[in-house]
PDB file of all heavy atoms in Angstrom:
ATOM      1  N   ARG A 110     -55.430 -12.628 -50.577  1.00  0.00           N
ATOM      2  CA  ARG A 110     -55.483 -12.054 -49.206  1.00  0.00           C
ATOM      3  C   ARG A 110     -54.858 -12.989 -48.211  1.00  0.00           C
ATOM      4  O   ARG A 110     -54.089 -12.595 -47.324  1.00  0.00           O
ATOM      5  CB  ARG A 110     -56.959 -11.772 -48.826  1.00  0.00           C
ATOM      6  CG  ARG A 110     -57.131 -11.191 -47.436  1.00  0.00           C
ATOM      7  CD  ARG A 110     -56.482  -9.804 -47.361  1.00  0.00           C
ATOM      8  NE  ARG A 110     -56.344  -9.298 -46.009  1.00  0.00           N
ATOM      9  CZ  ARG A 110     -55.291  -9.482 -45.225  1.00  0.00           C
ATOM     10  NH1 ARG A 110     -54.229 -10.178 -45.670  1.00  0.00           N
ATOM     11  NH2 ARG A 110     -55.220  -8.964 -44.023  1.00  0.00           N
ATOM     12  N   CYS A 113     -50.845 -13.110 -48.060  1.00  0.00           N
ATOM     13  CA  CYS A 113     -50.131 -11.845 -47.883  1.00  0.00           C
ATOM     14  C   CYS A 113     -48.856 -12.097 -47.079  1.00  0.00           C
ATOM     15  O   CYS A 113     -48.846 -12.796 -46.062  1.00  0.00           O
ATOM     16  CB  CYS A 113     -50.996 -10.817 -47.130  1.00  0.00           C
ATOM     17  SG  CYS A 113     -50.194  -9.255 -46.934  1.00  0.00           S
ATOM     18  N   ARG A 114     -47.723 -11.573 -47.571  1.00  0.00           N
ATOM     19  CA  ARG A 114     -46.428 -11.800 -46.939  1.00  0.00           C
ATOM     20  C   ARG A 114     -45.925 -10.564 -46.226  1.00  0.00           C
ATOM     21  O   ARG A 114     -44.735 -10.433 -45.987  1.00  0.00           O
ATOM     22  CB  ARG A 114     -45.396 -12.276 -47.973  1.00  0.00           C
ATOM     23  CG  ARG A 114     -45.654 -13.743 -48.457  1.00  0.00           C
ATOM     24  CD  ARG A 114     -45.676 -14.681 -47.307  1.00  0.00           C
ATOM     25  NE  ARG A 114     -45.599 -16.077 -47.678  1.00  0.00           N
ATOM     26  CZ  ARG A 114     -46.574 -16.955 -47.497  1.00  0.00           C
ATOM     27  NH1 ARG A 114     -47.745 -16.547 -47.038  1.00  0.00           N
ATOM     28  NH2 ARG A 114     -46.415 -18.244 -47.778  1.00  0.00           N
ATOM     29  N   CYS A 115     -46.794  -9.621 -45.885  1.00  0.00           N
ATOM     30  CA  CYS A 115     -46.339  -8.447 -45.114  1.00  0.00           C
ATOM     31  C   CYS A 115     -46.023  -8.898 -43.699  1.00  0.00           C
ATOM     32  O   CYS A 115     -46.378  -9.972 -43.238  1.00  0.00           O
ATOM     33  CB  CYS A 115     -47.384  -7.367 -45.177  1.00  0.00           C
ATOM     34  SG  CYS A 115     -48.714  -7.540 -43.992  1.00  0.00           S
ATOM     35  N   SER A 116     -45.350  -8.010 -42.965  1.00  0.00           N
ATOM     36  CA  SER A 116     -44.862  -8.404 -41.636  1.00  0.00           C
ATOM     37  C   SER A 116     -45.981  -8.587 -40.634  1.00  0.00           C
ATOM     38  O   SER A 116     -45.843  -9.258 -39.623  1.00  0.00           O
ATOM     39  CB  SER A 116     -43.863  -7.357 -41.123  1.00  0.00           C
ATOM     40  OG  SER A 116     -44.485  -6.098 -41.111  1.00  0.00           O
ATOM     41  N   GLU A 117     -47.148  -8.006 -40.945  1.00  0.00           N
ATOM     42  CA  GLU A 117     -48.312  -8.241 -40.065  1.00  0.00           C
ATOM     43  C   GLU A 117     -48.914  -9.611 -40.282  1.00  0.00           C
ATOM     44  O   GLU A 117     -49.500 -10.207 -39.363  1.00  0.00           O
ATOM     45  CB  GLU A 117     -49.403  -7.227 -40.413  1.00  0.00           C
ATOM     46  CG  GLU A 117     -49.411  -5.958 -39.571  1.00  0.00           C
ATOM     47  CD  GLU A 117     -50.514  -5.042 -40.074  1.00  0.00           C
ATOM     48  OE1 GLU A 117     -51.687  -5.444 -40.103  1.00  0.00           O
ATOM     49  OE2 GLU A 117     -50.164  -3.911 -40.525  1.00  0.00           O
ATOM     50  N   CYS A 118     -48.810 -10.095 -41.512  1.00  0.00           N
ATOM     51  CA  CYS A 118     -49.475 -11.357 -41.856  1.00  0.00           C
ATOM     52  C   CYS A 118     -48.559 -12.563 -41.845  1.00  0.00           C
ATOM     53  O   CYS A 118     -49.034 -13.692 -41.787  1.00  0.00           O
ATOM     54  CB  CYS A 118     -50.085 -11.234 -43.247  1.00  0.00           C
ATOM     55  SG  CYS A 118     -51.369  -9.988 -43.372  1.00  0.00           S
ATOM     56  N   TYR A 119     -47.251 -12.296 -41.915  1.00  0.00           N
ATOM     57  CA  TYR A 119     -46.327 -13.447 -42.053  1.00  0.00           C
ATOM     58  C   TYR A 119     -45.009 -13.114 -41.365  1.00  0.00           C
ATOM     59  O   TYR A 119     -44.455 -12.032 -41.532  1.00  0.00           O
ATOM     60  CB  TYR A 119     -46.078 -13.693 -43.542  1.00  0.00           C
ATOM     61  CG  TYR A 119     -45.416 -15.009 -43.829  1.00  0.00           C
ATOM     62  CD1 TYR A 119     -46.131 -16.211 -43.860  1.00  0.00           C
ATOM     63  CD2 TYR A 119     -44.060 -15.066 -44.150  1.00  0.00           C
ATOM     64  CE1 TYR A 119     -45.532 -17.412 -44.136  1.00  0.00           C
ATOM     65  CE2 TYR A 119     -43.437 -16.297 -44.435  1.00  0.00           C
ATOM     66  CZ  TYR A 119     -44.174 -17.437 -44.442  1.00  0.00           C
ATOM     67  OH  TYR A 119     -43.575 -18.640 -44.694  1.00  0.00           O
ATOM     68  N   HIS A 157     -55.783  -2.554 -45.600  1.00  0.00           N
ATOM     69  CA  HIS A 157     -54.595  -3.384 -45.593  1.00  0.00           C
ATOM     70  C   HIS A 157     -53.996  -3.492 -46.991  1.00  0.00           C
ATOM     71  O   HIS A 157     -54.757  -3.562 -47.976  1.00  0.00           O
ATOM     72  CB  HIS A 157     -54.928  -4.777 -45.059  1.00  0.00           C
ATOM     73  CG  HIS A 157     -53.719  -5.607 -44.741  1.00  0.00           C
ATOM     74  ND1 HIS A 157     -53.073  -5.506 -43.543  1.00  0.00           N
ATOM     75  CD2 HIS A 157     -53.035  -6.511 -45.482  1.00  0.00           C
ATOM     76  CE1 HIS A 157     -52.032  -6.332 -43.557  1.00  0.00           C
ATOM     77  NE2 HIS A 157     -51.983  -6.963 -44.716  1.00  0.00           N
ATOM     78  N   VAL A 158     -52.668  -3.464 -47.093  1.00  0.00           N
ATOM     79  CA  VAL A 158     -52.038  -3.499 -48.397  1.00  0.00           C
ATOM     80  C   VAL A 158     -51.202  -4.771 -48.518  1.00  0.00           C
ATOM     81  O   VAL A 158     -50.458  -5.131 -47.627  1.00  0.00           O
ATOM     82  CB  VAL A 158     -51.122  -2.238 -48.591  1.00  0.00           C
ATOM     83  CG1 VAL A 158     -50.279  -2.398 -49.857  1.00  0.00           C
ATOM     84  CG2 VAL A 158     -51.971  -0.987 -48.641  1.00  0.00           C
ATOM     85  N   THR A 159     -51.371  -5.432 -49.637  1.00  0.00           N
ATOM     86  CA  THR A 159     -50.617  -6.681 -49.937  1.00  0.00           C
ATOM     87  C   THR A 159     -49.850  -6.468 -51.227  1.00  0.00           C
ATOM     88  O   THR A 159     -50.384  -6.010 -52.196  1.00  0.00           O
ATOM     89  CB  THR A 159     -51.624  -7.864 -50.129  1.00  0.00           C
ATOM     90  OG1 THR A 159     -52.326  -8.065 -48.920  1.00  0.00           O
ATOM     91  CG2 THR A 159     -50.899  -9.118 -50.519  1.00  0.00           C
TER      92      THR A 159
HETATM   93 ZN1   ZN B 507     -50.580  -8.450 -44.855  1.00  0.00          ZN
END
Side-chain angles (χ1 to χ4, degrees):
R110 180 64 192 91
C113 183
R114 288 303 193 247
C115 81
S116 58
E117 266 177 59
C118 296
Y119 193 78
H157 192 84
V158 172
T159 297

